């Protein structure tokens, strides 16, 4: 995200507390930027309408200078209670979250908050298409990972199981998203495939 | 919306420029509060998952005090490029905007921005359920108004036609939403009715 002063917002500002020092979501040509480009491409070519939700901000103080726009003078980043992206594809509701890790062997589950997991579970219950896009930046590998698989691992971790998803599980339960020039993260392609072969998340 | 200092944010702060002095969206027990309550009820009773999107904010300056959360010191309210509410109902994508007017005889079309109208048109094209909820607060009447009807009036106004939707058109093309105790603005009820009788916005 670029702001008017040319500075990029650091991860620390966006996510608090920072769950894991090896997680980045806003640095360089990030996964977020790639997804935004992809969504623009989908929109321009009439494939789907997917938007990133605005960053949730708790506003504390607003000034109203005469003759000019209201200025927010004090505000804080809030933890998101839902996921970052949603929209419509072929009439269906699509909902997902994107995360990047520098880890090489597993993806830590503490990247997700409990209310985000509950949200994803609700979306599946209501027949929505729900997944996460996970990039292992060091491995230059980006996965489409169905929310039902994520929920399975997360529930297991809540019951004392493993606190991360191994790269092996990711390869087995997820789908690699090839990086292309125009469509950096072509997840619709995987949705078509996953939902025709699998009958949707509901049948997990 | 309540903020930590107990103050409510005035309309002027949220929407700039204010399109019409008779439009309110955040005062008293507003339409927004009624819809939020309704959405909570829908969520709690497993009927649908609909959320209000966070207010879009352009962040200019962020301070990082040691040992505490990042503080946004300068930010501005941005004009929304989409609608305020979206989510999933029976697997389908639902997208809507809510507006309140004190007018008694018509609803002014300048309450909607061009990019919002384009967004709604796209949602219809992609098979989503798209509508607006319009409250005539003085008349204590709340309407479910399909986006295709709104687009028709809006395009007509762009070609020199009438700049508002008359109450007569609203009554003819819209559906009154009865105010109930638990479900203040029961729009799902109208969706069920409208989409079964009408075959959806696409055939509108």
């Amino acid at each position: 995200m670029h702001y008017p002063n040319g500075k990029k917002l650091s991860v620390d500002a966006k996510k608090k507390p920072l769950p894991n020092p090896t997680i980045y979501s806003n640095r360089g040509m990030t996964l977020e930027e790639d997804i935004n480009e992809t969504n623009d491409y989908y929109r321009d070519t009439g494939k789907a309408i997917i938007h990133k939700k605005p960053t949730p901000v708790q506003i504390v103080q607003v000034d109203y200078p005469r003759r000019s726009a209201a200025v927010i003078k004090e505000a804080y980043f809030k933890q998101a209670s839902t996921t970052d992206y949603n929209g419509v594809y072929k009439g269906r509701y699509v909902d997902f979250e994107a995360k990047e890790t520098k880890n090489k062997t597993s993806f830590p589950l503490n990247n997700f908050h409990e209310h985000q997991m509950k949200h994803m579970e609700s979306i599946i219950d209501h027949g929505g298409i729900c997944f996460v896009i996970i990039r292992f930046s060091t491995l230059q590998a980006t996965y489409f990972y169905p929310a039902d698989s994520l929920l399975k691992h997360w529930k297991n971790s809540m019951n004392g199981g493993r606190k991360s998803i191994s790269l092996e599980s990711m390869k087995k339960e997820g789908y690699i998203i090839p990086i292309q020039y125009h469509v950096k993260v072509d997840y619709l392609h995987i949705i078509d495939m996953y939902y025709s072969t699998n009958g949707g998340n509901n049948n997990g």
Side-chain angles (χ1 to χ4, degrees), chain A residues 33-86:
Chain A
E33 288 166 320
D34 284 349
I35 291 172
N36 289 344
E37 260 194 47
T38 302
N39 288 343
D40 288 347
Y41 175 83
Y42 286 158
R43 202 154 53 243
D44 294 346
T45 55
K47 290 198 191 313
I49 307 295
I50 313 282
H51 283 278
K52 185 174 190 296
K53 292 177 204 161
T55 304
V57 158
Q58 181 78 46
I59 296 161
V60 177
Q61 197 206 325
V62 182
D63 277 9
Y64 305 95
R66 197 178 291 219
R67 288 173 189 280
S68 62
V71 189
I72 301 165
K73 300 299 281 182
E74 185 186 354
Y76 299 89
F77 294 99
K78 280 200 295 190
Q79 207 178 63
S81 63
T82 63
T83 45
D84 271 355
Y85 302 88
N86 72 1

Side-chain angles (χ1 to χ4, degrees), chain A residues 47-193:
Chain A
K47 290 198 191 313
I49 307 295
I50 313 282
H51 283 278
K52 185 174 190 296
K53 292 177 204 161
T55 304
V57 158
Q58 181 78 46
I59 296 161
V60 177
Q61 197 206 325
V62 182
D63 277 9
Y64 305 95
R66 197 178 291 219
R67 288 173 189 280
S68 62
V71 189
I72 301 165
K73 300 299 281 182
E74 185 186 354
Y76 299 89
F77 294 99
K78 280 200 295 190
Q79 207 178 63
S81 63
T82 63
T83 45
D84 271 355
Y85 302 88
N86 72 1
V88 59
Y89 178 51
K90 296 178 180 171
R92 292 194 63 181
Y93 179 74
V94 172
D95 190 298
F96 65 96
E97 182 71 28
K99 296 284 183 193
E100 216 162 338
T101 182
K102 277 194 160 178
N103 283 13
K104 290 172 189 169
T105 55
S106 70
F107 182 79
L109 285 163
N110 63 359
N111 277 284
F112 297 101
H113 312 295
E114 186 172 358
H115 40 260
Q116 281 184 320
M117 297 309 301
K118 301 248 182 248
H119 172 76
M120 291 191 215
E121 194 165 29
S122 300
I123 296 309
I124 294 172
D125 288 346
H126 286 268
I129 293 173
C130 192
F131 56 93
V132 289
I133 294 178
I134 291 175
R135 175 172 289 176
F136 290 84
S137 49
T138 313
L139 306 176
Q140 294 184 291
T142 305
Y143 289 90
F144 175 105
Y145 193 65
D148 46 4
S149 298
L150 176 63
L151 277 157
K152 186 189 71 185
H153 285 283
W154 186 76
K155 284 178 179 172
N156 181 46
S157 82
M158 290 292 111
N159 294 321
R162 188 182 166 133
K163 304 295 179 208
S164 67
I165 304 167
S166 69
L167 188 60
E168 289 69 40
S169 297
M170 188 65 60
K171 284 177 177 169
K172 207 159 57 186
E173 297 153 355
Y175 301 84
I176 201 99
I177 304 176
I179 302 289
Q180 293 162 31
Y181 181 70
H182 272 304
V183 204
K184 294 282 172 61
V185 192
D186 189 8
Y187 58 87
L188 291 185
H189 171 75
I190 316 276
I191 288 179
D192 283 336
M193 194 263 298

